[in-house]
Amino acid sequence: PHALDLLYRVDISVSTGRGSPALAMFGIVLISFGQVLLLMRAGMEAERAEDYVLTGRAKGLTERAVRDRHVARNVLAPVLAGSFLTFPTVLAGMIIVEYELEMQGLSSVLFDAIEFQDIPVIMGVMVVLGIIGIGFRIVTDVAIAMLDPRQRRGAT
């Protein structure tokens, strides 16, 4: 409890509320990392039953080589695509953490706009969040195209 209390009060001058920016970031990162980890684990379990894994083992490859070179590479594209879907959860977590720690950020702007029925501000926040989401999706698609040669289009 003492360590969490220290983390909670780290550099209180940076925060405008009673919470710590370090604690807020820690919570937000845990939310998104946990979801991506679950996606990766489920994908790895599903791919281990495929024929190419059995073929790799039959050729004498080590379990680590099969896992890292074959299974993980095939799971990486769906995990990257699925990690894009964690963006709304991260935003919701960020808004909740900011609100609970009384930090001045997106949550205070959004809740004040909702309270005073300031529709242009609410729409502006939603549009900006939508643009950020589209940007994440484009970056994800480019990363998948670079990492997975099956996704590239070339001359045939």
mmCIF file with all atom_site columns, all heavy atoms in Angstrom, residues 77-88 129-145 151:
data_model
loop_
_atom_site.group_PDB
_atom_site.id
_atom_site.type_symbol
_atom_site.label_atom_id
_atom_site.label_alt_id
_atom_site.label_comp_id
_atom_site.label_asym_id
_atom_site.label_entity_id
_atom_site.label_seq_id
_atom_site.pdbx_PDB_ins_code
_atom_site.Cartn_x
_atom_site.Cartn_y
_atom_site.Cartn_z
_atom_site.occupancy
_atom_site.B_iso_or_equiv
_atom_site.pdbx_formal_charge
_atom_site.auth_seq_id
_atom_site.auth_comp_id
_atom_site.auth_asym_id
_atom_site.auth_atom_id
_atom_site.pdbx_PDB_model_num
ATOM 1   N N   . ALA A 1 77  ? -0.676  -10.687 -37.599 1.00 0.00 ? 77  ALA A N   1
ATOM 2   C CA  . ALA A 1 77  ? -1.580  -9.818  -38.356 1.00 0.00 ? 77  ALA A CA  1
ATOM 3   C C   . ALA A 1 77  ? -2.961  -9.700  -37.695 1.00 0.00 ? 77  ALA A C   1
ATOM 4   O O   . ALA A 1 77  ? -3.461  -8.584  -37.523 1.00 0.00 ? 77  ALA A O   1
ATOM 5   C CB  . ALA A 1 77  ? -1.704  -10.307 -39.797 1.00 0.00 ? 77  ALA A CB  1
ATOM 6   N N   . PRO A 1 78  ? -3.604  -10.813 -37.311 1.00 0.00 ? 78  PRO A N   1
ATOM 7   C CA  . PRO A 1 78  ? -4.894  -10.642 -36.629 1.00 0.00 ? 78  PRO A CA  1
ATOM 8   C C   . PRO A 1 78  ? -4.780  -9.921  -35.285 1.00 0.00 ? 78  PRO A C   1
ATOM 9   O O   . PRO A 1 78  ? -5.696  -9.195  -34.886 1.00 0.00 ? 78  PRO A O   1
ATOM 10  C CB  . PRO A 1 78  ? -5.394  -12.075 -36.416 1.00 0.00 ? 78  PRO A CB  1
ATOM 11  C CG  . PRO A 1 78  ? -4.628  -12.911 -37.350 1.00 0.00 ? 78  PRO A CG  1
ATOM 12  C CD  . PRO A 1 78  ? -3.343  -12.212 -37.604 1.00 0.00 ? 78  PRO A CD  1
ATOM 13  N N   . VAL A 1 79  ? -3.667  -10.117 -34.592 1.00 0.00 ? 79  VAL A N   1
ATOM 14  C CA  . VAL A 1 79  ? -3.495  -9.431  -33.309 1.00 0.00 ? 79  VAL A CA  1
ATOM 15  C C   . VAL A 1 79  ? -3.340  -7.931  -33.528 1.00 0.00 ? 79  VAL A C   1
ATOM 16  O O   . VAL A 1 79  ? -3.922  -7.133  -32.793 1.00 0.00 ? 79  VAL A O   1
ATOM 17  C CB  . VAL A 1 79  ? -2.291  -10.009 -32.531 1.00 0.00 ? 79  VAL A CB  1
ATOM 18  C CG1 . VAL A 1 79  ? -1.924  -9.132  -31.354 1.00 0.00 ? 79  VAL A CG1 1
ATOM 19  C CG2 . VAL A 1 79  ? -2.609  -11.412 -32.058 1.00 0.00 ? 79  VAL A CG2 1
ATOM 20  N N   . LEU A 1 80  ? -2.586  -7.536  -34.538 1.00 0.00 ? 80  LEU A N   1
ATOM 21  C CA  . LEU A 1 80  ? -2.467  -6.105  -34.841 1.00 0.00 ? 80  LEU A CA  1
ATOM 22  C C   . LEU A 1 80  ? -3.815  -5.523  -35.237 1.00 0.00 ? 80  LEU A C   1
ATOM 23  O O   . LEU A 1 80  ? -4.173  -4.419  -34.801 1.00 0.00 ? 80  LEU A O   1
ATOM 24  C CB  . LEU A 1 80  ? -1.451  -5.880  -35.958 1.00 0.00 ? 80  LEU A CB  1
ATOM 25  C CG  . LEU A 1 80  ? 0.008   -5.908  -35.563 1.00 0.00 ? 80  LEU A CG  1
ATOM 26  C CD1 . LEU A 1 80  ? 0.896   -5.763  -36.787 1.00 0.00 ? 80  LEU A CD1 1
ATOM 27  C CD2 . LEU A 1 80  ? 0.312   -4.810  -34.570 1.00 0.00 ? 80  LEU A CD2 1
ATOM 28  N N   . ALA A 1 81  ? -4.569  -6.244  -36.052 1.00 0.00 ? 81  ALA A N   1
ATOM 29  C CA  . ALA A 1 81  ? -5.889  -5.764  -36.448 1.00 0.00 ? 81  ALA A CA  1
ATOM 30  C C   . ALA A 1 81  ? -6.819  -5.689  -35.236 1.00 0.00 ? 81  ALA A C   1
ATOM 31  O O   . ALA A 1 81  ? -7.600  -4.751  -35.100 1.00 0.00 ? 81  ALA A O   1
ATOM 32  C CB  . ALA A 1 81  ? -6.485  -6.678  -37.511 1.00 0.00 ? 81  ALA A CB  1
ATOM 33  N N   . GLY A 1 82  ? -6.717  -6.648  -34.345 1.00 0.00 ? 82  GLY A N   1
ATOM 34  C CA  . GLY A 1 82  ? -7.553  -6.649  -33.149 1.00 0.00 ? 82  GLY A CA  1
ATOM 35  C C   . GLY A 1 82  ? -7.132  -5.608  -32.137 1.00 0.00 ? 82  GLY A C   1
ATOM 36  O O   . GLY A 1 82  ? -7.959  -5.108  -31.366 1.00 0.00 ? 82  GLY A O   1
ATOM 37  N N   . SER A 1 83  ? -5.847  -5.275  -32.125 1.00 0.00 ? 83  SER A N   1
ATOM 38  C CA  . SER A 1 83  ? -5.389  -4.266  -31.172 1.00 0.00 ? 83  SER A CA  1
ATOM 39  C C   . SER A 1 83  ? -5.960  -2.895  -31.507 1.00 0.00 ? 83  SER A C   1
ATOM 40  O O   . SER A 1 83  ? -6.125  -2.053  -30.627 1.00 0.00 ? 83  SER A O   1
ATOM 41  C CB  . SER A 1 83  ? -3.867  -4.222  -31.128 1.00 0.00 ? 83  SER A CB  1
ATOM 42  O OG  . SER A 1 83  ? -3.347  -3.784  -32.364 1.00 0.00 ? 83  SER A OG  1
ATOM 43  N N   . PHE A 1 84  ? -6.290  -2.675  -32.765 1.00 0.00 ? 84  PHE A N   1
ATOM 44  C CA  . PHE A 1 84  ? -6.972  -1.438  -33.147 1.00 0.00 ? 84  PHE A CA  1
ATOM 45  C C   . PHE A 1 84  ? -8.323  -1.339  -32.435 1.00 0.00 ? 84  PHE A C   1
ATOM 46  O O   . PHE A 1 84  ? -8.773  -0.260  -32.083 1.00 0.00 ? 84  PHE A O   1
ATOM 47  C CB  . PHE A 1 84  ? -7.154  -1.402  -34.665 1.00 0.00 ? 84  PHE A CB  1
ATOM 48  C CG  . PHE A 1 84  ? -8.320  -0.584  -35.128 1.00 0.00 ? 84  PHE A CG  1
ATOM 49  C CD1 . PHE A 1 84  ? -8.282  0.796   -35.081 1.00 0.00 ? 84  PHE A CD1 1
ATOM 50  C CD2 . PHE A 1 84  ? -9.464  -1.196  -35.601 1.00 0.00 ? 84  PHE A CD2 1
ATOM 51  C CE1 . PHE A 1 84  ? -9.360  1.548   -35.503 1.00 0.00 ? 84  PHE A CE1 1
ATOM 52  C CE2 . PHE A 1 84  ? -10.540 -0.453  -36.025 1.00 0.00 ? 84  PHE A CE2 1
ATOM 53  C CZ  . PHE A 1 84  ? -10.490 0.920   -35.980 1.00 0.00 ? 84  PHE A CZ  1
ATOM 54  N N   . LEU A 1 85  ? -8.942  -2.486  -32.206 1.00 0.00 ? 85  LEU A N   1
ATOM 55  C CA  . LEU A 1 85  ? -10.260 -2.489  -31.570 1.00 0.00 ? 85  LEU A CA  1
ATOM 56  C C   . LEU A 1 85  ? -10.196 -2.139  -30.086 1.00 0.00 ? 85  LEU A C   1
ATOM 57  O O   . LEU A 1 85  ? -11.224 -1.881  -29.475 1.00 0.00 ? 85  LEU A O   1
ATOM 58  C CB  . LEU A 1 85  ? -10.921 -3.852  -31.756 1.00 0.00 ? 85  LEU A CB  1
ATOM 59  C CG  . LEU A 1 85  ? -11.182 -4.251  -33.212 1.00 0.00 ? 85  LEU A CG  1
ATOM 60  C CD1 . LEU A 1 85  ? -11.695 -5.676  -33.282 1.00 0.00 ? 85  LEU A CD1 1
ATOM 61  C CD2 . LEU A 1 85  ? -12.153 -3.296  -33.866 1.00 0.00 ? 85  LEU A CD2 1
ATOM 62  N N   . THR A 1 86  ? -9.007  -2.145  -29.490 1.00 0.00 ? 86  THR A N   1
ATOM 63  C CA  . THR A 1 86  ? -8.889  -1.785  -28.083 1.00 0.00 ? 86  THR A CA  1
ATOM 64  C C   . THR A 1 86  ? -8.896  -0.267  -27.879 1.00 0.00 ? 86  THR A C   1
ATOM 65  O O   . THR A 1 86  ? -8.995  0.191   -26.745 1.00 0.00 ? 86  THR A O   1
ATOM 66  C CB  . THR A 1 86  ? -7.599  -2.347  -27.460 1.00 0.00 ? 86  THR A CB  1
ATOM 67  O OG1 . THR A 1 86  ? -6.465  -1.754  -28.099 1.00 0.00 ? 86  THR A OG1 1
ATOM 68  C CG2 . THR A 1 86  ? -7.548  -3.852  -27.570 1.00 0.00 ? 86  THR A CG2 1
ATOM 69  N N   . PHE A 1 87  ? -8.826  0.490   -28.960 1.00 0.00 ? 87  PHE A N   1
ATOM 70  C CA  . PHE A 1 87  ? -8.773  1.950   -28.844 1.00 0.00 ? 87  PHE A CA  1
ATOM 71  C C   . PHE A 1 87  ? -9.970  2.532   -28.094 1.00 0.00 ? 87  PHE A C   1
ATOM 72  O O   . PHE A 1 87  ? -9.785  3.362   -27.190 1.00 0.00 ? 87  PHE A O   1
ATOM 73  C CB  . PHE A 1 87  ? -8.625  2.581   -30.233 1.00 0.00 ? 87  PHE A CB  1
ATOM 74  C CG  . PHE A 1 87  ? -8.613  4.070   -30.220 1.00 0.00 ? 87  PHE A CG  1
ATOM 75  C CD1 . PHE A 1 87  ? -7.552  4.769   -29.657 1.00 0.00 ? 87  PHE A CD1 1
ATOM 76  C CD2 . PHE A 1 87  ? -9.662  4.790   -30.759 1.00 0.00 ? 87  PHE A CD2 1
ATOM 77  C CE1 . PHE A 1 87  ? -7.539  6.151   -29.629 1.00 0.00 ? 87  PHE A CE1 1
ATOM 78  C CE2 . PHE A 1 87  ? -9.655  6.168   -30.745 1.00 0.00 ? 87  PHE A CE2 1
ATOM 79  C CZ  . PHE A 1 87  ? -8.593  6.848   -30.177 1.00 0.00 ? 87  PHE A CZ  1
ATOM 80  N N   . PRO A 1 88  ? -11.210 2.141   -28.392 1.00 0.00 ? 88  PRO A N   1
ATOM 81  C CA  . PRO A 1 88  ? -12.333 2.695   -27.605 1.00 0.00 ? 88  PRO A CA  1
ATOM 82  C C   . PRO A 1 88  ? -12.246 2.338   -26.122 1.00 0.00 ? 88  PRO A C   1
ATOM 83  O O   . PRO A 1 88  ? -12.600 3.158   -25.266 1.00 0.00 ? 88  PRO A O   1
ATOM 84  C CB  . PRO A 1 88  ? -13.580 2.065   -28.246 1.00 0.00 ? 88  PRO A CB  1
ATOM 85  C CG  . PRO A 1 88  ? -13.154 1.691   -29.612 1.00 0.00 ? 88  PRO A CG  1
ATOM 86  C CD  . PRO A 1 88  ? -11.703 1.340   -29.511 1.00 0.00 ? 88  PRO A CD  1
ATOM 87  N N   . LEU A 1 129 ? -11.728 12.323  -31.746 1.00 0.00 ? 129 LEU A N   1
ATOM 88  C CA  . LEU A 1 129 ? -11.513 10.924  -31.383 1.00 0.00 ? 129 LEU A CA  1
ATOM 89  C C   . LEU A 1 129 ? -11.704 10.012  -32.583 1.00 0.00 ? 129 LEU A C   1
ATOM 90  O O   . LEU A 1 129 ? -10.972 9.031   -32.752 1.00 0.00 ? 129 LEU A O   1
ATOM 91  C CB  . LEU A 1 129 ? -12.448 10.514  -30.244 1.00 0.00 ? 129 LEU A CB  1
ATOM 92  C CG  . LEU A 1 129 ? -12.193 11.196  -28.905 1.00 0.00 ? 129 LEU A CG  1
ATOM 93  C CD1 . LEU A 1 129 ? -13.214 10.732  -27.878 1.00 0.00 ? 129 LEU A CD1 1
ATOM 94  C CD2 . LEU A 1 129 ? -10.783 10.943  -28.421 1.00 0.00 ? 129 LEU A CD2 1
ATOM 95  N N   . GLY A 1 130 ? -12.665 10.319  -33.448 1.00 0.00 ? 130 GLY A N   1
ATOM 96  C CA  . GLY A 1 130 ? -12.863 9.539   -34.665 1.00 0.00 ? 130 GLY A CA  1
ATOM 97  C C   . GLY A 1 130 ? -11.679 9.639   -35.612 1.00 0.00 ? 130 GLY A C   1
ATOM 98  O O   . GLY A 1 130 ? -11.259 8.647   -36.203 1.00 0.00 ? 130 GLY A O   1
ATOM 99  N N   . ILE A 1 131 ? -11.130 10.846  -35.750 1.00 0.00 ? 131 ILE A N   1
ATOM 100 C CA  . ILE A 1 131 ? -9.958  11.035  -36.616 1.00 0.00 ? 131 ILE A CA  1
ATOM 101 C C   . ILE A 1 131 ? -8.754  10.282  -36.063 1.00 0.00 ? 131 ILE A C   1
ATOM 102 O O   . ILE A 1 131 ? -8.004  9.646   -36.814 1.00 0.00 ? 131 ILE A O   1
ATOM 103 C CB  . ILE A 1 131 ? -9.658  12.537  -36.794 1.00 0.00 ? 131 ILE A CB  1
ATOM 104 C CG1 . ILE A 1 131 ? -10.747 13.177  -37.645 1.00 0.00 ? 131 ILE A CG1 1
ATOM 105 C CG2 . ILE A 1 131 ? -8.283  12.765  -37.411 1.00 0.00 ? 131 ILE A CG2 1
ATOM 106 C CD1 . ILE A 1 131 ? -10.688 14.690  -37.705 1.00 0.00 ? 131 ILE A CD1 1
ATOM 107 N N   . ILE A 1 132 ? -8.581  10.303  -34.751 1.00 0.00 ? 132 ILE A N   1
ATOM 108 C CA  . ILE A 1 132 ? -7.496  9.548   -34.134 1.00 0.00 ? 132 ILE A CA  1
ATOM 109 C C   . ILE A 1 132 ? -7.694  8.049   -34.369 1.00 0.00 ? 132 ILE A C   1
ATOM 110 O O   . ILE A 1 132 ? -6.747  7.323   -34.693 1.00 0.00 ? 132 ILE A O   1
ATOM 111 C CB  . ILE A 1 132 ? -7.392  9.870   -32.630 1.00 0.00 ? 132 ILE A CB  1
ATOM 112 C CG1 . ILE A 1 132 ? -6.920  11.304  -32.431 1.00 0.00 ? 132 ILE A CG1 1
ATOM 113 C CG2 . ILE A 1 132 ? -6.443  8.901   -31.918 1.00 0.00 ? 132 ILE A CG2 1
ATOM 114 C CD1 . ILE A 1 132 ? -7.000  11.789  -30.999 1.00 0.00 ? 132 ILE A CD1 1
ATOM 115 N N   . GLY A 1 133 ? -8.929  7.583   -34.257 1.00 0.00 ? 133 GLY A N   1
ATOM 116 C CA  . GLY A 1 133 ? -9.227  6.170   -34.508 1.00 0.00 ? 133 GLY A CA  1
ATOM 117 C C   . GLY A 1 133 ? -8.931  5.777   -35.942 1.00 0.00 ? 133 GLY A C   1
ATOM 118 O O   . GLY A 1 133 ? -8.362  4.700   -36.198 1.00 0.00 ? 133 GLY A O   1
ATOM 119 N N   . ILE A 1 134 ? -9.299  6.622   -36.895 1.00 0.00 ? 134 ILE A N   1
ATOM 120 C CA  . ILE A 1 134 ? -8.992  6.342   -38.306 1.00 0.00 ? 134 ILE A CA  1
ATOM 121 C C   . ILE A 1 134 ? -7.487  6.328   -38.524 1.00 0.00 ? 134 ILE A C   1
ATOM 122 O O   . ILE A 1 134 ? -6.953  5.492   -39.259 1.00 0.00 ? 134 ILE A O   1
ATOM 123 C CB  . ILE A 1 134 ? -9.682  7.373   -39.217 1.00 0.00 ? 134 ILE A CB  1
ATOM 124 C CG1 . ILE A 1 134 ? -11.193 7.141   -39.197 1.00 0.00 ? 134 ILE A CG1 1
ATOM 125 C CG2 . ILE A 1 134 ? -9.155  7.304   -40.642 1.00 0.00 ? 134 ILE A CG2 1
ATOM 126 C CD1 . ILE A 1 134 ? -11.992 8.234   -39.866 1.00 0.00 ? 134 ILE A CD1 1
ATOM 127 N N   . GLY A 1 135 ? -6.779  7.256   -37.884 1.00 0.00 ? 135 GLY A N   1
ATOM 128 C CA  . GLY A 1 135 ? -5.316  7.270   -37.994 1.00 0.00 ? 135 GLY A CA  1
ATOM 129 C C   . GLY A 1 135 ? -4.694  5.986   -37.464 1.00 0.00 ? 135 GLY A C   1
ATOM 130 O O   . GLY A 1 135 ? -3.791  5.421   -38.094 1.00 0.00 ? 135 GLY A O   1
ATOM 131 N N   . PHE A 1 136 ? -5.194  5.505   -36.312 1.00 0.00 ? 136 PHE A N   1
ATOM 132 C CA  . PHE A 1 136 ? -4.708  4.229   -35.781 1.00 0.00 ? 136 PHE A CA  1
ATOM 133 C C   . PHE A 1 136 ? -4.979  3.087   -36.757 1.00 0.00 ? 136 PHE A C   1
ATOM 134 O O   . PHE A 1 136 ? -4.147  2.198   -36.935 1.00 0.00 ? 136 PHE A O   1
ATOM 135 C CB  . PHE A 1 136 ? -5.352  3.912   -34.431 1.00 0.00 ? 136 PHE A CB  1
ATOM 136 C CG  . PHE A 1 136 ? -4.703  4.582   -33.263 1.00 0.00 ? 136 PHE A CG  1
ATOM 137 C CD1 . PHE A 1 136 ? -5.471  5.041   -32.210 1.00 0.00 ? 136 PHE A CD1 1
ATOM 138 C CD2 . PHE A 1 136 ? -3.339  4.762   -33.202 1.00 0.00 ? 136 PHE A CD2 1
ATOM 139 C CE1 . PHE A 1 136 ? -4.893  5.659   -31.123 1.00 0.00 ? 136 PHE A CE1 1
ATOM 140 C CE2 . PHE A 1 136 ? -2.743  5.377   -32.126 1.00 0.00 ? 136 PHE A CE2 1
ATOM 141 C CZ  . PHE A 1 136 ? -3.519  5.831   -31.084 1.00 0.00 ? 136 PHE A CZ  1
ATOM 142 N N   . ARG A 1 137 ? -6.137  3.100   -37.385 1.00 0.00 ? 137 ARG A N   1
ATOM 143 C CA  . ARG A 1 137 ? -6.486  2.034   -38.326 1.00 0.00 ? 137 ARG A CA  1
ATOM 144 C C   . ARG A 1 137 ? -5.560  2.053   -39.531 1.00 0.00 ? 137 ARG A C   1
ATOM 145 O O   . ARG A 1 137 ? -5.125  1.008   -40.004 1.00 0.00 ? 137 ARG A O   1
ATOM 146 C CB  . ARG A 1 137 ? -7.943  2.179   -38.754 1.00 0.00 ? 137 ARG A CB  1
ATOM 147 C CG  . ARG A 1 137 ? -8.399  1.115   -39.683 1.00 0.00 ? 137 ARG A CG  1
ATOM 148 C CD  . ARG A 1 137 ? -8.323  -0.240  -39.038 1.00 0.00 ? 137 ARG A CD  1
ATOM 149 N NE  . ARG A 1 137 ? -8.564  -1.266  -40.031 1.00 0.00 ? 137 ARG A NE  1
ATOM 150 C CZ  . ARG A 1 137 ? -8.562  -2.530  -39.787 1.00 0.00 ? 137 ARG A CZ  1
ATOM 151 N NH1 . ARG A 1 137 ? -8.335  -2.969  -38.576 1.00 0.00 ? 137 ARG A NH1 1
ATOM 152 N NH2 . ARG A 1 137 ? -8.780  -3.396  -40.739 1.00 0.00 ? 137 ARG A NH2 1
ATOM 153 N N   . ILE A 1 138 ? -5.246  3.230   -40.050 1.00 0.00 ? 138 ILE A N   1
ATOM 154 C CA  . ILE A 1 138 ? -4.337  3.337   -41.194 1.00 0.00 ? 138 ILE A CA  1
ATOM 155 C C   . ILE A 1 138 ? -2.945  2.848   -40.816 1.00 0.00 ? 138 ILE A C   1
ATOM 156 O O   . ILE A 1 138 ? -2.317  2.099   -41.568 1.00 0.00 ? 138 ILE A O   1
ATOM 157 C CB  . ILE A 1 138 ? -4.304  4.793   -41.724 1.00 0.00 ? 138 ILE A CB  1
ATOM 158 C CG1 . ILE A 1 138 ? -5.640  5.121   -42.388 1.00 0.00 ? 138 ILE A CG1 1
ATOM 159 C CG2 . ILE A 1 138 ? -3.148  5.002   -42.707 1.00 0.00 ? 138 ILE A CG2 1
ATOM 160 C CD1 . ILE A 1 138 ? -5.816  6.579   -42.737 1.00 0.00 ? 138 ILE A CD1 1
ATOM 161 N N   . VAL A 1 139 ? -2.464  3.254   -39.646 1.00 0.00 ? 139 VAL A N   1
ATOM 162 C CA  . VAL A 1 139 ? -1.143  2.794   -39.185 1.00 0.00 ? 139 VAL A CA  1
ATOM 163 C C   . VAL A 1 139 ? -1.133  1.280   -39.014 1.00 0.00 ? 139 VAL A C   1
ATOM 164 O O   . VAL A 1 139 ? -0.172  0.602   -39.387 1.00 0.00 ? 139 VAL A O   1
ATOM 165 C CB  . VAL A 1 139 ? -0.752  3.512   -37.872 1.00 0.00 ? 139 VAL A CB  1
ATOM 166 C CG1 . VAL A 1 139 ? 0.450   2.870   -37.220 1.00 0.00 ? 139 VAL A CG1 1
ATOM 167 C CG2 . VAL A 1 139 ? -0.485  4.982   -38.142 1.00 0.00 ? 139 VAL A CG2 1
ATOM 168 N N   . THR A 1 140 ? -2.223  0.723   -38.495 1.00 0.00 ? 140 THR A N   1
ATOM 169 C CA  . THR A 1 140 ? -2.319  -0.722  -38.322 1.00 0.00 ? 140 THR A CA  1
ATOM 170 C C   . THR A 1 140 ? -2.293  -1.434  -39.665 1.00 0.00 ? 140 THR A C   1
ATOM 171 O O   . THR A 1 140 ? -1.590  -2.435  -39.832 1.00 0.00 ? 140 THR A O   1
ATOM 172 C CB  . THR A 1 140 ? -3.616  -1.080  -37.569 1.00 0.00 ? 140 THR A CB  1
ATOM 173 O OG1 . THR A 1 140 ? -3.607  -0.431  -36.305 1.00 0.00 ? 140 THR A OG1 1
ATOM 174 C CG2 . THR A 1 140 ? -3.739  -2.570  -37.366 1.00 0.00 ? 140 THR A CG2 1
ATOM 175 N N   . ASP A 1 141 ? -3.035  -0.934  -40.639 1.00 0.00 ? 141 ASP A N   1
ATOM 176 C CA  . ASP A 1 141 ? -3.050  -1.561  -41.963 1.00 0.00 ? 141 ASP A CA  1
ATOM 177 C C   . ASP A 1 141 ? -1.681  -1.506  -42.630 1.00 0.00 ? 141 ASP A C   1
ATOM 178 O O   . ASP A 1 141 ? -1.261  -2.475  -43.272 1.00 0.00 ? 141 ASP A O   1
ATOM 179 C CB  . ASP A 1 141 ? -4.091  -0.897  -42.854 1.00 0.00 ? 141 ASP A CB  1
ATOM 180 C CG  . ASP A 1 141 ? -5.506  -1.284  -42.482 1.00 0.00 ? 141 ASP A CG  1
ATOM 181 O OD1 . ASP A 1 141 ? -5.676  -2.279  -41.742 1.00 0.00 ? 141 ASP A OD1 1
ATOM 182 O OD2 . ASP A 1 141 ? -6.442  -0.595  -42.931 1.00 0.00 ? 141 ASP A OD2 1
ATOM 183 N N   . VAL A 1 142 ? -0.980  -0.389  -42.489 1.00 0.00 ? 142 VAL A N   1
ATOM 184 C CA  . VAL A 1 142 ? 0.364   -0.276  -43.062 1.00 0.00 ? 142 VAL A CA  1
ATOM 185 C C   . VAL A 1 142 ? 1.322   -1.248  -42.370 1.00 0.00 ? 142 VAL A C   1
ATOM 186 O O   . VAL A 1 142 ? 2.131   -1.916  -43.030 1.00 0.00 ? 142 VAL A O   1
ATOM 187 C CB  . VAL A 1 142 ? 0.875   1.181   -42.970 1.00 0.00 ? 142 VAL A CB  1
ATOM 188 C CG1 . VAL A 1 142 ? 2.352   1.272   -43.302 1.00 0.00 ? 142 VAL A CG1 1
ATOM 189 C CG2 . VAL A 1 142 ? 0.070   2.077   -43.883 1.00 0.00 ? 142 VAL A CG2 1
ATOM 190 N N   . ALA A 1 143 ? 1.227   -1.356  -41.048 1.00 0.00 ? 143 ALA A N   1
ATOM 191 C CA  . ALA A 1 143 ? 2.091   -2.290  -40.311 1.00 0.00 ? 143 ALA A CA  1
ATOM 192 C C   . ALA A 1 143 ? 1.821   -3.732  -40.718 1.00 0.00 ? 143 ALA A C   1
ATOM 193 O O   . ALA A 1 143 ? 2.760   -4.529  -40.892 1.00 0.00 ? 143 ALA A O   1
ATOM 194 C CB  . ALA A 1 143 ? 1.899   -2.119  -38.810 1.00 0.00 ? 143 ALA A CB  1
ATOM 195 N N   . ILE A 1 144 ? 0.560   -4.085  -40.901 1.00 0.00 ? 144 ILE A N   1
ATOM 196 C CA  . ILE A 1 144 ? 0.225   -5.442  -41.330 1.00 0.00 ? 144 ILE A CA  1
ATOM 197 C C   . ILE A 1 144 ? 0.773   -5.702  -42.728 1.00 0.00 ? 144 ILE A C   1
ATOM 198 O O   . ILE A 1 144 ? 1.324   -6.775  -43.000 1.00 0.00 ? 144 ILE A O   1
ATOM 199 C CB  . ILE A 1 144 ? -1.300  -5.672  -41.279 1.00 0.00 ? 144 ILE A CB  1
ATOM 200 C CG1 . ILE A 1 144 ? -1.763  -5.745  -39.824 1.00 0.00 ? 144 ILE A CG1 1
ATOM 201 C CG2 . ILE A 1 144 ? -1.695  -6.937  -42.021 1.00 0.00 ? 144 ILE A CG2 1
ATOM 202 C CD1 . ILE A 1 144 ? -3.266  -5.749  -39.662 1.00 0.00 ? 144 ILE A CD1 1
ATOM 203 N N   . ALA A 1 145 ? 0.648   -4.739  -43.620 1.00 0.00 ? 145 ALA A N   1
ATOM 204 C CA  . ALA A 1 145 ? 1.166   -4.905  -44.977 1.00 0.00 ? 145 ALA A CA  1
ATOM 205 C C   . ALA A 1 145 ? 2.682   -5.065  -44.981 1.00 0.00 ? 145 ALA A C   1
ATOM 206 O O   . ALA A 1 145 ? 3.234   -5.830  -45.788 1.00 0.00 ? 145 ALA A O   1
ATOM 207 C CB  . ALA A 1 145 ? 0.761   -3.717  -45.837 1.00 0.00 ? 145 ALA A CB  1
ATOM 208 N N   . GLN A 1 151 ? -0.157  -10.077 -47.558 1.00 0.00 ? 151 GLN A N   1
ATOM 209 C CA  . GLN A 1 151 ? -1.042  -8.928  -47.693 1.00 0.00 ? 151 GLN A CA  1
ATOM 210 C C   . GLN A 1 151 ? -0.581  -7.952  -48.779 1.00 0.00 ? 151 GLN A C   1
ATOM 211 O O   . GLN A 1 151 ? -1.340  -7.093  -49.191 1.00 0.00 ? 151 GLN A O   1
ATOM 212 C CB  . GLN A 1 151 ? -1.138  -8.163  -46.376 1.00 0.00 ? 151 GLN A CB  1
ATOM 213 C CG  . GLN A 1 151 ? -1.681  -8.984  -45.234 1.00 0.00 ? 151 GLN A CG  1
ATOM 214 C CD  . GLN A 1 151 ? -3.121  -9.385  -45.456 1.00 0.00 ? 151 GLN A CD  1
ATOM 215 O OE1 . GLN A 1 151 ? -3.899  -8.622  -46.013 1.00 0.00 ? 151 GLN A OE1 1
ATOM 216 N NE2 . GLN A 1 151 ? -3.471  -10.583 -45.023 1.00 0.00 ? 151 GLN A NE2 1
#
